[in-house]
Amino acid sequence: MMIPPQEASARRREIEDKLKQEEETLSFIRDSLEKSDQLTKNMVSILSSFESRLMKLENSIIPVHKQTENLQRLQENVEKTLSCLDHVISYYHVASDTEKIIREGPTGRLEEYLGSMAKIQKAVEYFQDNSPDSPELNKVKLLFERGKESLESEFRSLMTRHSKVVSPVLILDLISGDDDLEAQEDVALEHLPESVLQDVIRISRWLVEYGRNQDFMNVYYQIRSSQLDRSIKGLKEHFHKSSSSSGVPYSPAIPNKRKDTPTKKPVKRPGTIRKAQNLLKQYSQHGLDGKKGGSNLIPLEGHEHDFQVKHLSEALNDKHRPLAGRDDMLDVETDAYIHCVSAFVKLAQSEYQLLADIIPEHHQKKTFDSLIQDALDGLMLEGENIVSAARKAVVRHDFSTVLTVFPILRHLKQTKPEFDQVLQGTAASTKNKLPGLITSMETIGAKALEDFADNIKAILFLQQLLDFQETAGAMLASQETSSSATSYSSEFSKRLLSTYICKVLGNLQLNLLSKSKVYEDPALSAIFLHNNYNYILKSLEKSELIQLVAVTQKTAERSYREHIEQQVQTYQRSWLKVTDYIAEKNLPVFQPGVKLRDKERQIIKERFKGFNDGLEELCKIQKAWAIPDMEQRDRIRQAQKTIVKETYGAFLQKFGSVPFTKNPEKYIKYGVEQVGDMIDRLFDTSA
């Protein structure tokens, strides 16, 4: 259908308006695009410029950053360097900072002192590692050594000032504590106050760890050894004083009471002399016939035995001598020694406990061994003196003195297990001292019993028989004639008695010969027989026995003298092994002025060495032998001295100036007179 014109015109206008709008929109969009392109171009330009500037900035900042890092690193290094410098500089100030403290010493401020020593030690280590040639090293080294010496002195001072002798009363409380069933607590020994002990321990550990020093251990054992020895000696003196004043050997304090209020209680005597005398009296009464109570002891060996030779008159004097006062004194000596032995065990145990806290473990046994030596040697020496006195008592037949050995020996054997425990870890020579003393006491005790049972009773019996000559002679005559005879001539009875006495003496001589065979050394056997023959002869001469013997044996006296001389000659042969080395017949022959050959020089050296060794060995052995008869002793020594001096003098004159060695003093050890002096000391156990 046809659109009306107006409507078509309106529509066209509408379309035209829309078209115009669209064109305007398009134009706007185009303008916008152009502006956008322009903005994009501008943005790209800006970004390009920014990128360029950023690159420039980056190229400028990176070196600055690196420089900053370097500066920071340098700053850190400077700070570290300054810190190290401060640390190093502090070492240079150590000497001045600590010198006053070191100079004033550690007394009363040990902690501060050890702190200063630690600083000094670090300074020494620093300078040794970094500046070994610097004067500062010498300075701190000297300061360290001075400080170490002060610590050593402080150790000695503390030990000296605070180590006290243990009182006899406290020791006796300690000993009696084992046997007192009523004791409720152990008796404690405080050798050092606790504060002092801790200081001593600290110093000890420092000296071992840093001071590299062991001298303080010697100081320790010397001080403690002195206190131990003095404590035991003080106990012995306490016995003597108490016995002389009150008759009560000691006064131990009752347990659980104050130590300043001791109360007396009687001594528990381990064995008294008088009791032992009664036993010996029973032995002699029942043993005279050689059956009941007789000695079946094995004869003794070795050279440490005295020999019975005292004059019979002295033996009889001993028999009638009052014994009460002497035996009381022997009781005191015996009890004192026995208690000193027990005291040693207890005090040594206590010393080891103290030592274990102060001395390093691997030095403890050795230090303890050294610490106890003086006290132990004192006990052993006193024990040997008791043995020596017993030997001399056997010689003079004083058996009451010999009896001191028996209670002491019993106590030593009872105490030996404790001794062995205390001495664990010590040297063998230390452990063997007590067994050696026990052996010596057993030896002399056995010899006393043997001599009493055999030789002495024979001589004493014959001597006492003199008071009953006629009766004894008649008894013997009655066995030789018919029972109906009622009278015998005096001469006949005397001859029978003389024959009997000679028979007894002959049996005694056979007994002595048998005993002499136990001695392996022929010279010792000869001295044994010499002493006994001399004793018998002197006993016969000092009584009327010699006249009775002469009735049937006119040559008896001469025979004994020949026996004695024979034994002297046998003894003198023991010196041949010494003099043969230097005898003329064994010496090399050489021309004066002619240089010695090596073989000749060697022979001379061997001769000197053989003589020296033999002389020393014989003198050492024979010094312990005994010849109690002074006249015989001097005669034998003088004869031997003459022989040896003459032989050695001739040898020395011939070879003393001969150039057989570059070290003449090694071989020419003794002068002629010196050799004589050595022989003069033979047979002298006190030398």
Side-chain angles (χ1 to χ4, degrees), residues 12-28:
R12 191 173 49 251
R13 282 194 302 275
E14 182 180 355
I15 292 170
E16 288 177 351
D17 289 339
K18 287 184 177 180
L19 182 62
K20 188 177 178 178
Q21 289 178 351
E22 291 293 331
E23 287 177 351
E24 288 177 354
T25 301
L26 181 62
S27 176
F28 176 76

Side-chain angles (χ1 to χ4, degrees), residues 239 273 275 305 392 395 468 519 591:
F239 267 82
I273 305 305
K275 287 181 181 178
H305 312 315
K392 295 175 182 177
V395 169
F468 308 97
Y519 300 108
Q591 296 296 326

Side-chain angles (χ1 to χ4, degrees), residues 183-291:
Q184 299 297 317
E185 60 183 20
D186 293 334
V187 179
L189 292 180
E190 184 184 64
H191 294 293
L192 296 172
E194 184 61 29
S195 59
V196 173
L197 176 60
Q198 294 306 316
D199 284 352
V200 167
I201 292 173
R202 289 212 61 190
I203 295 174
S204 165
R205 291 176 179 172
W206 189 94
L207 289 173
V208 171
E209 186 174 357
Y210 302 109
R212 305 292 188 270
N213 179 284
Q214 296 182 8
D215 292 342
F216 77 94
M217 300 180 199
N218 297 332
V219 172
Y220 177 85
Y221 91 70
Q222 288 167 3
I223 293 173
R224 294 307 309 169
S225 174
S226 174
Q227 300 303 325
L228 175 61
D229 191 39
R230 289 170 60 192
S231 296
I232 294 176
K233 288 178 178 176
L235 177 62
K236 183 179 178 182
E237 293 174 3
H238 177 73
F239 267 82
H240 292 163
K241 290 178 182 178
S242 298
S243 64
S244 61
S245 60
S246 63
V248 179
Y250 67 92
S251 307
I254 295 177
N256 299 327
K257 287 194 175 185
R258 292 177 55 187
K259 297 300 176 187
D260 56 354
T261 58
T263 59
K264 295 181 179 180
K265 67 180 182 182
V267 181
K268 295 175 66 176
R269 295 187 183 274
T272 63
I273 305 305
R274 203 166 285 110
K275 287 181 181 178
Q277 284 176 334
N278 293 333
L279 290 174
L280 190 55
K281 186 182 296 182
Q282 295 172 14
Y283 173 90
S284 64
Q285 289 172 347
H286 297 289
L288 289 175
D289 60 358
K291 297 178 182 178

Side-chain angles (χ1 to χ4, degrees), residues 322-337:
L323 296 176
R326 183 180 62 175
D327 293 338
D328 287 342
M329 183 56 66
L330 290 176
D331 277 348
V332 172
E333 292 288 344
T334 302
D335 286 340
Y337 186 72

Side-chain angles (χ1 to χ4, degrees), residues 60 70 115 148 293 334 367-368 407 414 416 420-421 436 441 472 641:
S60 299
N70 290 336
K148 185 170 72 171
T334 302
T367 305
F368 180 70
Q414 290 173 345
K416 187 176 182 297
D420 293 341
Q421 185 177 7
M441 289 193 171
K641 184 168 65 172

